Amino acid sequence: LVAGVFDDPQSSEDGVTLSIPITRLPATMGRSHDTSDKNFFGLGSRKVLSRQQCMIYVRDKFGGRLDQKSGSDDFVYKPPPSK
């Protein structure tokens, strides 16, 4: 679960609290739009957001990460890149 406050700098109103259940990794969050990407989570339609505002990965201390292939619910470990 990702929780936070969306604060519009052009508004005098208090920020809106968002709570987004993340169910797939890596998670891409950004401006809501039509997409078939199961890993995308929309944050609203305001143009101040890009369509790929941020991505969330689970990484280990060596730089490897957990990923999910499109169309699968299985996690795959991707080792860190070689130096």
Side-chain angles (χ1 to χ4, degrees):
L1 180 68
V2 173
V5 175
F6 178 73
D7 211 7
D8 186 352
Q10 297 178 349
S11 173
S12 61
E13 297 179 19
D14 289 340
V16 177
T17 302
L18 299 174
S19 186
I20 303 164
I22 301 299
T23 55
R24 297 191 60 83
L25 295 171
T28 303
M29 296 186 294
R31 185 173 68 239
S32 299
H33 62 284
D34 291 334
T35 180
S36 61
D37 184 357
K38 292 181 178 182
N39 294 40
F40 179 80
F41 299 88
L43 299 176
S45 59
R46 295 195 176 190
K47 294 287 185 178
V48 70
L49 298 168
S50 77
R51 290 186 178 181
Q52 294 183 346
Q53 191 72 25
C54 72
M55 293 188 81
I56 298 174
Y57 294 93
V58 174
R59 290 194 178 268
D60 62 21
K61 66 181 182 179
F62 305 107
R65 71 179 194 204
L66 287 178
D67 207 350
Q68 283 177 305
K69 291 186 179 181
S70 181
S72 172
D73 290 332
D74 296 333
F75 285 99
V76 176
Y77 178 75
K78 292 191 175 186
S82 304
K83 291 187 178 185

